[in-house]
Amino acid sequence: MRDIVAKRNSDSIMYEKRLLVGYLLAGYPGKESFLKLIAECEAEGIDIFEIGFPSADPSSDGEVIQKAHQTVDSSICSDVSYWTAIRNSITKPIWIMGYRRDLIDTGFYKVLAQKGLVDAFVIPDMNFHEHQKLADELSSWDVDVIGFVNPDMQDSEIDECFSNTALVYQ
């Protein structure tokens, strides 16, 4: 099994028996209000922040999240200063959830990882082997890749993910 490489992730897992993971879409409902919101969420007890990366085509998300994506200022997708402000607003782990085309294909995931702005990535539209390859690449920057399991996967792939991944999103 792969080890957890991000210190914030391992500290959270080690010291907490029950973790509250909160999903928030970056920049929603507005750029500045989002920064205040995540600080308030941390003060209220969110242990891990799963932050949605804005997408022009969030077709795999539900209707409510799709509508939120439509209202977000898309300039934040490449605004390193905004992602730095997010990191500076909270002390808890940040897991960026996004589509391959928005994070991996653009290469922006490397910027976030190299600058220490993220603790993990959740990329639902990649298979187990692609996650493992990405995890190998990101381990040098102490960034985890969260295994992703969904009901459409074959049992063998689900078993492989749970057997070889330290953190799994189900």
Side-chain angles (χ1 to χ4, degrees), residues 91-129:
T91 62
K92 301 292 184 167
I94 294 174
W95 296 359
I96 303 294
M97 177 180 253
Y99 295 105
R100 174 189 203 133
R101 67 183 168 270
D102 298 317
L103 281 166
I104 308 305
D105 294 351
T106 64
F108 196 63
Y109 75 103
K110 285 183 186 179
V111 173
L112 294 170
Q114 290 171 340
K115 293 190 176 291
L117 303 177
V118 62
D119 300 292
F121 286 101
V122 181
I123 313 292
D125 57 346
M126 289 175 60
N127 67 37
F128 170 75
H129 296 290

CSV table of all heavy atoms in Angstrom, one decimal, residues 91-129:
chain,number,residue,atom,x,y,z
A,91,THR,N,-5.7,26.2,7.5
A,91,THR,CA,-4.5,25.4,7.9
A,91,THR,C,-4.7,23.9,7.6
A,91,THR,O,-3.8,23.1,7.6
A,91,THR,CB,-4.2,25.5,9.4
A,91,THR,OG1,-5.3,25.1,10.1
A,91,THR,CG2,-3.8,27.0,9.7
A,92,LYS,N,-6.0,23.5,7.3
A,92,LYS,CA,-6.3,22.1,7.1
A,92,LYS,C,-6.0,21.7,5.7
A,92,LYS,O,-5.7,22.5,4.8
A,92,LYS,CB,-7.8,21.9,7.3
A,92,LYS,CG,-8.3,22.3,8.7
A,92,LYS,CD,-7.8,21.4,9.8
A,92,LYS,CE,-8.4,21.8,11.1
A,92,LYS,NZ,-8.2,20.8,12.1
A,93,PRO,N,-6.0,20.3,5.5
A,93,PRO,CA,-5.7,19.8,4.1
A,93,PRO,C,-6.6,20.3,3.1
A,93,PRO,O,-7.8,20.5,3.3
A,93,PRO,CB,-5.8,18.3,4.3
A,93,PRO,CG,-5.7,18.0,5.7
A,93,PRO,CD,-6.2,19.2,6.4
A,94,ILE,N,-6.1,20.6,1.9
A,94,ILE,CA,-6.8,21.0,0.7
A,94,ILE,C,-6.7,19.9,-0.3
A,94,ILE,O,-5.6,19.5,-0.8
A,94,ILE,CB,-6.3,22.3,0.1
A,94,ILE,CG1,-6.6,23.5,1.1
A,94,ILE,CG2,-7.0,22.6,-1.2
A,94,ILE,CD1,-6.0,24.8,0.6
A,95,TRP,N,-7.8,19.3,-0.7
A,95,TRP,CA,-7.9,18.3,-1.7
A,95,TRP,C,-8.6,19.0,-2.9
A,95,TRP,O,-9.8,19.4,-2.8
A,95,TRP,CB,-8.7,17.1,-1.3
A,95,TRP,CG,-8.1,16.3,-0.2
A,95,TRP,CD1,-7.0,16.5,0.5
A,95,TRP,CD2,-8.7,15.1,0.4
A,95,TRP,NE1,-6.8,15.5,1.4
A,95,TRP,CE2,-7.9,14.7,1.4
A,95,TRP,CE3,-9.9,14.4,0.1
A,95,TRP,CZ2,-8.2,13.5,2.2
A,95,TRP,CZ3,-10.2,13.3,0.9
A,95,TRP,CH2,-9.3,12.9,1.9
A,96,ILE,N,-8.0,19.1,-4.0
A,96,ILE,CA,-8.6,19.7,-5.2
A,96,ILE,C,-9.3,18.6,-6.0
A,96,ILE,O,-8.6,17.7,-6.4
A,96,ILE,CB,-7.5,20.4,-6.1
A,96,ILE,CG1,-6.8,21.5,-5.3
A,96,ILE,CG2,-8.2,21.0,-7.3
A,96,ILE,CD1,-7.6,22.7,-4.8
A,97,MET,N,-10.6,18.8,-6.2
A,97,MET,CA,-11.3,17.9,-7.0
A,97,MET,C,-11.6,18.6,-8.3
A,97,MET,O,-12.1,19.7,-8.4
A,97,MET,CB,-12.6,17.5,-6.4
A,97,MET,CG,-13.4,16.5,-7.4
A,97,MET,SD,-15.0,16.0,-6.7
A,97,MET,CE,-14.6,14.3,-6.3
A,98,GLY,N,-11.2,17.9,-9.4
A,98,GLY,CA,-11.4,18.5,-10.7
A,98,GLY,C,-11.3,17.4,-11.8
A,98,GLY,O,-10.8,16.3,-11.6
A,99,TYR,N,-11.7,17.9,-13.0
A,99,TYR,CA,-11.7,17.0,-14.1
A,99,TYR,C,-10.3,17.0,-14.7
A,99,TYR,O,-9.5,18.0,-14.7
A,99,TYR,CB,-12.7,17.5,-15.2
A,99,TYR,CG,-14.1,17.4,-14.8
A,99,TYR,CD1,-14.8,18.5,-14.4
A,99,TYR,CD2,-14.8,16.2,-14.8
A,99,TYR,CE1,-16.1,18.4,-14.1
A,99,TYR,CE2,-16.1,16.1,-14.4
A,99,TYR,CZ,-16.8,17.2,-14.1
A,99,TYR,OH,-18.1,17.1,-13.7
A,100,ARG,N,-9.9,15.9,-15.3
A,100,ARG,CA,-8.6,15.7,-16.0
A,100,ARG,C,-8.3,16.8,-17.0
A,100,ARG,O,-7.3,17.4,-17.0
A,100,ARG,CB,-8.6,14.3,-16.7
A,100,ARG,CG,-7.4,14.1,-17.5
A,100,ARG,CD,-7.5,12.8,-18.4
A,100,ARG,NE,-6.2,12.4,-18.6
A,100,ARG,CZ,-5.8,11.2,-18.5
A,100,ARG,NH1,-6.6,10.2,-18.2
A,100,ARG,NH2,-4.5,10.9,-18.8
A,101,ARG,N,-9.3,17.2,-17.8
A,101,ARG,CA,-9.1,18.2,-18.8
A,101,ARG,C,-8.8,19.5,-18.3
A,101,ARG,O,-8.1,20.3,-18.9
A,101,ARG,CB,-10.3,18.2,-19.8
A,101,ARG,CG,-11.6,18.8,-19.1
A,101,ARG,CD,-12.8,18.8,-20.0
A,101,ARG,NE,-14.0,19.1,-19.2
A,101,ARG,CZ,-14.7,18.1,-18.7
A,101,ARG,NH1,-14.4,16.8,-18.8
A,101,ARG,NH2,-15.8,18.4,-18.0
A,102,ASP,N,-9.3,19.8,-17.1
A,102,ASP,CA,-9.1,21.1,-16.4
A,102,ASP,C,-7.8,21.2,-15.6
A,102,ASP,O,-7.2,22.3,-15.5
A,102,ASP,CB,-10.3,21.5,-15.5
A,102,ASP,CG,-11.6,21.6,-16.3
A,102,ASP,OD1,-11.6,22.1,-17.4
A,102,ASP,OD2,-12.6,21.0,-15.8
A,103,LEU,N,-7.4,20.1,-15.0
A,103,LEU,CA,-6.2,20.2,-14.2
A,103,LEU,C,-5.0,19.5,-14.8
A,103,LEU,O,-3.9,20.1,-14.8
A,103,LEU,CB,-6.5,19.5,-12.8
A,103,LEU,CG,-7.3,20.3,-11.8
A,103,LEU,CD1,-7.8,19.4,-10.7
A,103,LEU,CD2,-6.4,21.4,-11.3
A,104,ILE,N,-5.2,18.3,-15.2
A,104,ILE,CA,-4.0,17.5,-15.7
A,104,ILE,C,-3.6,17.9,-17.1
A,104,ILE,O,-2.5,18.2,-17.4
A,104,ILE,CB,-4.3,16.0,-15.7
A,104,ILE,CG1,-4.9,15.6,-14.3
A,104,ILE,CG2,-3.1,15.2,-16.1
A,104,ILE,CD1,-3.9,15.9,-13.1
A,105,ASP,N,-4.6,18.0,-18.0
A,105,ASP,CA,-4.3,18.3,-19.4
A,105,ASP,C,-3.7,19.7,-19.6
A,105,ASP,O,-2.9,20.0,-20.5
A,105,ASP,CB,-5.5,18.1,-20.3
A,105,ASP,CG,-6.0,16.7,-20.4
A,105,ASP,OD1,-5.2,15.8,-20.0
A,105,ASP,OD2,-7.1,16.5,-21.0
A,106,THR,N,-4.1,20.6,-18.7
A,106,THR,CA,-3.6,22.0,-18.8
A,106,THR,C,-2.2,22.2,-18.1
A,106,THR,O,-1.6,23.1,-18.3
A,106,THR,CB,-4.6,23.0,-18.1
A,106,THR,OG1,-4.7,22.7,-16.7
A,106,THR,CG2,-5.9,23.0,-18.7
A,107,GLY,N,-1.9,21.2,-17.2
A,107,GLY,CA,-0.7,21.2,-16.5
A,107,GLY,C,-0.7,22.1,-15.2
A,107,GLY,O,0.2,22.2,-14.5
A,108,PHE,N,-1.9,22.6,-14.9
A,108,PHE,CA,-2.0,23.5,-13.7
A,108,PHE,C,-1.8,22.7,-12.4
A,108,PHE,O,-1.4,23.3,-11.4
A,108,PHE,CB,-3.3,24.3,-13.7
A,108,PHE,CG,-3.3,25.5,-12.8
A,108,PHE,CD1,-2.5,26.5,-13.0
A,108,PHE,CD2,-4.2,25.5,-11.7
A,108,PHE,CE1,-2.5,27.6,-12.1
A,108,PHE,CE2,-4.2,26.6,-10.8
A,108,PHE,CZ,-3.3,27.6,-11.0
A,109,TYR,N,-2.1,21.4,-12.5
A,109,TYR,CA,-1.9,20.6,-11.3
A,109,TYR,C,-0.4,20.7,-10.8
A,109,TYR,O,-0.2,20.7,-9.6
A,109,TYR,CB,-2.3,19.2,-11.5
A,109,TYR,CG,-1.3,18.4,-12.3
A,109,TYR,CD1,-0.5,17.5,-11.7
A,109,TYR,CD2,-1.3,18.6,-13.7
A,109,TYR,CE1,0.4,16.8,-12.5
A,109,TYR,CE2,-0.4,17.8,-14.5
A,109,TYR,CZ,0.5,16.9,-13.9
A,109,TYR,OH,1.4,16.2,-14.6
A,110,LYS,N,0.5,20.8,-11.7
A,110,LYS,CA,1.9,20.9,-11.4
A,110,LYS,C,2.2,22.2,-10.7
A,110,LYS,O,3.0,22.2,-9.7
A,110,LYS,CB,2.8,20.7,-12.6
A,110,LYS,CG,2.9,19.3,-13.2
A,110,LYS,CD,3.9,19.3,-14.3
A,110,LYS,CE,3.9,18.0,-15.0
A,110,LYS,NZ,4.8,17.9,-16.2
A,111,VAL,N,1.6,23.3,-11.2
A,111,VAL,CA,1.8,24.6,-10.5
A,111,VAL,C,1.4,24.5,-9.1
A,111,VAL,O,2.1,24.9,-8.2
A,111,VAL,CB,1.1,25.7,-11.3
A,111,VAL,CG1,1.2,27.0,-10.6
A,111,VAL,CG2,1.7,25.8,-12.7
A,112,LEU,N,0.2,24.0,-8.9
A,112,LEU,CA,-0.4,23.9,-7.5
A,112,LEU,C,0.5,23.0,-6.6
A,112,LEU,O,0.7,23.4,-5.5
A,112,LEU,CB,-1.8,23.4,-7.6
A,112,LEU,CG,-2.9,24.2,-8.3
A,112,LEU,CD1,-4.2,23.5,-8.5
A,112,LEU,CD2,-3.1,25.5,-7.5
A,113,ALA,N,0.9,21.9,-7.2
A,113,ALA,CA,1.8,21.0,-6.4
A,113,ALA,C,3.1,21.6,-6.1
A,113,ALA,O,3.6,21.6,-4.9
A,113,ALA,CB,1.9,19.7,-7.1
A,114,GLN,N,3.8,22.1,-7.1
A,114,GLN,CA,5.1,22.7,-6.9
A,114,GLN,C,5.2,23.8,-5.9
A,114,GLN,O,6.1,24.0,-5.2
A,114,GLN,CB,5.7,23.1,-8.2
A,114,GLN,CG,6.1,22.0,-9.1
A,114,GLN,CD,6.4,22.4,-10.5
A,114,GLN,OE1,6.1,23.5,-11.0
A,114,GLN,NE2,7.1,21.6,-11.3
A,115,LYS,N,4.1,24.6,-5.8
A,115,LYS,CA,4.1,25.7,-4.9
A,115,LYS,C,3.5,25.4,-3.6
A,115,LYS,O,3.4,26.3,-2.7
A,115,LYS,CB,3.2,26.9,-5.6
A,115,LYS,CG,3.9,27.4,-6.8
A,115,LYS,CD,3.2,28.7,-7.3
A,115,LYS,CE,4.0,29.3,-8.5
A,115,LYS,NZ,5.2,29.8,-8.1
A,116,GLY,N,3.2,24.1,-3.3
A,116,GLY,CA,2.7,23.7,-2.0
A,116,GLY,C,1.3,24.2,-1.7
A,116,GLY,O,1.0,24.3,-0.5
A,117,LEU,N,0.5,24.4,-2.7
A,117,LEU,CA,-0.9,25.0,-2.5
A,117,LEU,C,-1.9,23.9,-2.3
A,117,LEU,O,-3.1,24.2,-2.0
A,117,LEU,CB,-1.2,25.9,-3.6
A,117,LEU,CG,-0.2,27.0,-3.9
A,117,LEU,CD1,-0.6,27.9,-5.1
A,117,LEU,CD2,-0.1,27.9,-2.6
A,118,VAL,N,-1.6,22.6,-2.4
A,118,VAL,CA,-2.5,21.6,-2.4
A,118,VAL,C,-1.9,20.4,-1.7
A,118,VAL,O,-0.7,20.2,-1.7
A,118,VAL,CB,-3.0,21.2,-3.8
A,118,VAL,CG1,-1.8,20.7,-4.7
A,118,VAL,CG2,-4.1,20.2,-3.9
A,119,ASP,N,-2.8,19.6,-1.0
A,119,ASP,CA,-2.3,18.4,-0.3
A,119,ASP,C,-2.7,17.1,-1.0
A,119,ASP,O,-2.0,16.1,-0.8
A,119,ASP,CB,-2.9,18.4,1.1
A,119,ASP,CG,-2.5,19.6,1.9
A,119,ASP,OD1,-1.3,19.7,2.2
A,119,ASP,OD2,-3.3,20.5,2.2
A,120,ALA,N,-3.7,17.2,-1.9
A,120,ALA,CA,-4.1,16.0,-2.6
A,120,ALA,C,-5.0,16.5,-3.8
A,120,ALA,O,-5.5,17.5,-3.8
A,120,ALA,CB,-4.9,15.1,-1.8
A,121,PHE,N,-5.0,15.6,-4.8
A,121,PHE,CA,-5.9,15.7,-5.9
A,121,PHE,C,-6.9,14.6,-5.9
A,121,PHE,O,-6.5,13.4,-5.7
A,121,PHE,CB,-5.2,15.8,-7.2
A,121,PHE,CG,-4.4,17.0,-7.5
A,121,PHE,CD1,-3.0,17.1,-7.3
A,121,PHE,CD2,-5.0,18.2,-7.9
A,121,PHE,CE1,-2.3,18.3,-7.5
A,121,PHE,CE2,-4.3,19.3,-8.1
A,121,PHE,CZ,-3.0,19.4,-7.9
A,122,VAL,N,-8.2,14.9,-6.3
A,122,VAL,CA,-9.2,13.9,-6.5
A,122,VAL,C,-9.6,14.1,-8.0
A,122,VAL,O,-10.2,15.2,-8.3
A,122,VAL,CB,-10.4,14.2,-5.6
A,122,VAL,CG1,-11.5,13.1,-5.9
A,122,VAL,CG2,-10.0,14.2,-4.1
A,123,ILE,N,-9.3,13.2,-8.8
A,123,ILE,CA,-9.6,13.3,-10.2
A,123,ILE,C,-10.5,12.1,-10.6
A,123,ILE,O,-10.0,11.0,-10.8
A,123,ILE,CB,-8.3,13.3,-11.1
A,123,ILE,CG1,-7.2,14.2,-10.6
A,123,ILE,CG2,-8.7,13.5,-12.6
A,123,ILE,CD1,-7.5,15.7,-10.7
A,124,PRO,N,-11.8,12.3,-10.6
A,124,PRO,CA,-12.7,11.2,-10.8
A,124,PRO,C,-12.7,10.6,-12.2
A,124,PRO,O,-13.1,9.4,-12.3
A,124,PRO,CB,-14.1,11.8,-10.5
A,124,PRO,CG,-13.9,13.3,-10.7
A,124,PRO,CD,-12.5,13.6,-10.4
A,125,ASP,N,-12.3,11.3,-13.2
A,125,ASP,CA,-12.3,10.7,-14.6
A,125,ASP,C,-11.0,10.2,-15.0
A,125,ASP,O,-10.6,10.2,-16.2
A,125,ASP,CB,-12.9,11.8,-15.6
A,125,ASP,CG,-12.1,13.1,-15.6
A,125,ASP,OD1,-11.3,13.3,-14.7
A,125,ASP,OD2,-12.3,13.8,-16.6
A,126,MET,N,-10.3,9.6,-14.0
A,126,MET,CA,-9.0,8.9,-14.3
A,126,MET,C,-9.2,7.5,-13.7
A,126,MET,O,-9.8,7.3,-12.6
A,126,MET,CB,-7.8,9.6,-13.8
A,126,MET,CG,-7.4,10.8,-14.5
A,126,MET,SD,-6.1,11.8,-13.7
A,126,MET,CE,-4.7,10.6,-13.8
A,127,ASN,N,-8.6,6.5,-14.3
A,127,ASN,CA,-8.7,5.1,-13.8
A,127,ASN,C,-7.6,4.9,-12.7
A,127,ASN,O,-6.7,5.8,-12.5
A,127,ASN,CB,-8.6,4.1,-14.9
A,127,ASN,CG,-7.3,4.0,-15.6
A,127,ASN,OD1,-6.2,4.1,-15.0
A,127,ASN,ND2,-7.4,3.7,-16.9
A,128,PHE,N,-7.6,3.8,-12.1
A,128,PHE,CA,-6.7,3.5,-11.0
A,128,PHE,C,-5.2,3.6,-11.4
A,128,PHE,O,-4.4,4.2,-10.7
A,128,PHE,CB,-7.0,2.0,-10.4
A,128,PHE,CG,-5.9,1.6,-9.5
A,128,PHE,CD1,-5.8,2.1,-8.2
A,128,PHE,CD2,-4.9,0.7,-9.9
A,128,PHE,CE1,-4.8,1.7,-7.3
A,128,PHE,CE2,-3.9,0.2,-9.0
A,128,PHE,CZ,-3.9,0.7,-7.7
A,129,HIS,N,-4.9,3.0,-12.6
A,129,HIS,CA,-3.5,3.0,-13.0
A,129,HIS,C,-3.0,4.5,-13.3
A,129,HIS,O,-1.9,4.8,-13.1
A,129,HIS,CB,-3.3,2.1,-14.2
A,129,HIS,CG,-3.6,0.7,-13.8
A,129,HIS,ND1,-2.7,0.0,-13.0
A,129,HIS,CD2,-4.6,-0.1,-14.1
A,129,HIS,CE1,-3.2,-1.3,-12.8
A,129,HIS,NE2,-4.3,-1.3,-13.5
